[in-house]
Amino acid sequence: MSSMASSQGLGSTAFVAVAGAPRPAALRGSPGSPSFEFRSKGASGSSSGRPEAMSHDTPAASLAVSLAASLAVKRKASRRSATRASVVGLKATDTDVDLVTQLQLEASKLRAEVSSLEAEREEQLQRDRLSLFRSFDLDSSGGIDDQELRHGLHGLGLELDSLEASKLLRALDKNGDGMLQLEEFHLQAASKLIKEWRAEERAAEDASHALERQSKELESEKQAEQEFLASLPLENDDAGLPTRLASVFAYLLPLMDALRYGVPLALAFPFLQGPFSALFLISGVFSAVPLGLGYLALLIGMQSLAQNTELPKLLRFNLRQSVILDVALLVPGFLGSAVSFALDAAGTPVSDELAATGNSIVFVLIAACVAYSTVSSLLGVAPTGLPYISQKATEAISDIRPNAEDGSAKL
């Protein structure tokens, strides 16, 4: 029974240790606790007859006091640790402050040293400038004239003539007294001006050389042109009646080739049937040759005559222009075929009225060109007014040397 009471007392002590502060009723032995039961029974060895509960509660109270003391010691140690950490942090902060202050002092010291070096450098530059000025000032007058400036720059490897030295002096002389004082003496400015002048001189020389080369090239081209003209045969400028008539007959080729386009006009205007009949008669001679060889032979023959440099220039020009007009008739033929094919594919074939109108326009254009060329040729003037066609005809006969107004060779 005594062992049971002891174990129950230890259990109560453990509960006090875990749960925190002990309950007053448990320490005094309340009726609901096991300790109360043990004390109510008592023990025979007691002289006063009082319960023996105090003999068991005294160790529990001691253990609680011990635990409280242990917790107090731990809290005190924690406070000491926190205080020690704060002191260490404060010491670290003081160290950082000292380091920043030291760096600031070092920076101030460096700035002072840099300022001192710059001042010394400026003083040295002023001494060097004064020494250089005195080396230029040969007569020690306190000023440098143009001859002294030229002589001093010569010693530094900068060559100037008298005019350039005077020009440089005027550029540097701020007060206009004709002399350079110390405050006006700037060798770098003088060197910069001289370099600019030299660059301008080089640019002028390059431009002059370019013009010279261009002039030589033009002269060479002119000489080559003269040599080429000298190698050409002399121009035959005959414009007599036979030449004019031959020039007019040259345009029968494009007229005969354009007859197929003028049929609607001949049917519409009876007075045109006579000229058309004559043209058809002449055309029939060439058409009698099978496979179109008659027209081909006429075309080749006219082209060969146009290349003959011994023929008159007027005749050669008209022969060549007539051939170009005849070749140009291929263009409306191709266009008419293309339009007809496109309309047939679209299911709307070309009407007779549209075809007649197009053919009539082509014939009128060719007839107008032939009429202009005929009138001009009869007047003895080359008909050079047809756009593009006349230009090509002129280029084709540019293989002769033109004559001067007096009839001599023109070079």
Side-chain angles (χ1 to χ4, degrees), residues 6 134 170:
S6 178
R134 289 174 178 175
R170 289 193 300 270

Side-chain angles (χ1 to χ4, degrees), residues 82-98:
T83 303
R84 190 180 297 111
S86 301
V87 172
V88 172
L90 181 60
K91 290 182 178 179
T93 303
D94 294 340
T95 303
D96 292 340
V97 171
D98 294 340

Side-chain angles (χ1 to χ4, degrees), residues 101-119:
T101 303
Q102 184 178 1
L103 290 176
Q104 290 177 348
L105 293 175
E106 292 292 336
S108 300
K109 183 179 179 181
L110 288 175
R111 284 194 293 271
E113 292 178 356
V114 170
S115 300
S116 177
L117 290 175
E118 289 180 352

Side-chain angles (χ1 to χ4, degrees), residues 282-295:
I282 299 173
S283 177
V285 175
F286 296 98
S287 299
V289 181
L291 302 177
L293 295 178
Y295 276 102

Side-chain angles (χ1 to χ4, degrees), residues 326-385:
D326 188 66
V327 174
L329 282 172
L330 297 174
V331 176
F334 286 134
L335 291 177
S337 299
V339 172
S340 178
F341 178 79
L343 292 177
D344 290 340
T348 56
V350 180
S351 62
D352 294 339
E353 292 79 6
L354 181 60
T357 301
N359 291 335
S360 299
I361 292 174
V362 173
F363 182 80
V364 169
L365 289 176
I366 295 298
C369 293
V370 170
Y372 160 74
S373 301
T374 299
V375 172
S376 181
S377 298
L378 288 175
L379 295 176
V381 180
T384 58

Side-chain angles (χ1 to χ4, degrees), residues 120-340:
E120 292 178 2
R121 179 175 177 273
E122 185 64 26
E123 291 177 0
Q124 183 63 37
L125 290 176
Q126 292 297 331
R127 288 194 295 269
D128 294 342
R129 182 182 177 190
L130 180 59
S131 176
L132 183 62
F133 178 82
R134 289 174 178 175
S135 68
F136 275 67
D137 187 13
L138 300 179
D139 56 0
S140 301
S141 61
I144 301 174
D145 58 18
D146 54 352
Q147 296 302 323
E148 290 174 334
L149 181 61
R150 179 185 178 188
H151 183 272
L153 292 176
H154 173 73
L156 297 177
L158 297 175
E159 299 293 338
L160 295 178
D161 56 22
S162 299
L163 294 178
E164 290 176 336
S166 300
K167 181 180 178 182
L168 181 60
L169 179 64
R170 289 193 300 270
L172 298 177
D173 186 13
K174 302 302 182 182
N175 57 13
D177 61 351
M179 303 285 288
L180 291 183
Q181 282 73 36
L182 178 61
E183 60 273 10
E184 298 173 335
F185 181 72
H186 297 284
L187 189 59
Q188 292 181 351
S191 178
K192 182 179 179 181
L193 286 174
I194 294 173
K195 289 181 179 179
E196 291 178 355
W197 294 345
R198 294 291 183 264
E200 292 176 357
E201 291 176 358
R202 287 193 297 270
E205 290 178 358
D206 293 341
S208 177
H209 292 162
L211 290 175
E212 185 178 356
R213 287 194 302 270
Q214 185 177 4
S215 177
K216 289 181 179 180
E217 290 176 358
L218 292 176
E219 184 178 356
S220 178
E221 292 177 359
K222 184 177 180 180
Q223 183 178 0
E225 182 180 0
Q226 291 179 351
E227 292 176 354
F228 172 74
L229 290 176
S231 65
L232 296 177
L234 191 62
E235 174 185 305
N236 185 350
D237 56 357
D238 176 43
L241 183 59
T243 301
R244 299 178 188 184
L245 293 177
S247 299
V248 171
F249 283 116
Y251 290 98
L252 288 176
L253 176 62
L255 271 180
M256 291 187 298
D257 219 1
L259 284 177
R260 63 183 184 273
Y261 296 106
V263 173
L265 288 175
L267 295 176
F269 302 98
F271 68 91
L272 295 177
Q273 292 181 5
F276 268 77
S277 298
L279 288 174
F280 272 114
L281 182 60
I282 299 173
S283 177
V285 175
F286 296 98
S287 299
V289 181
L291 302 177
L293 295 178
Y295 276 102
L296 181 61
L298 179 61
L299 186 67
I300 294 175
M302 293 177 62
Q303 179 68 19
S304 300
L305 290 174
Q307 294 176 353
N308 188 354
T309 58
E310 296 181 359
L311 293 177
K313 180 180 178 181
L314 179 62
L315 177 59
R316 294 181 62 204
F317 177 83
N318 284 287
L319 288 171
R320 182 58 181 168
Q321 185 158 270
S322 175
V323 170
I324 297 175
L325 271 176
D326 188 66
V327 174
L329 282 172
L330 297 174
V331 176
F334 286 134
L335 291 177
S337 299
V339 172
S340 178

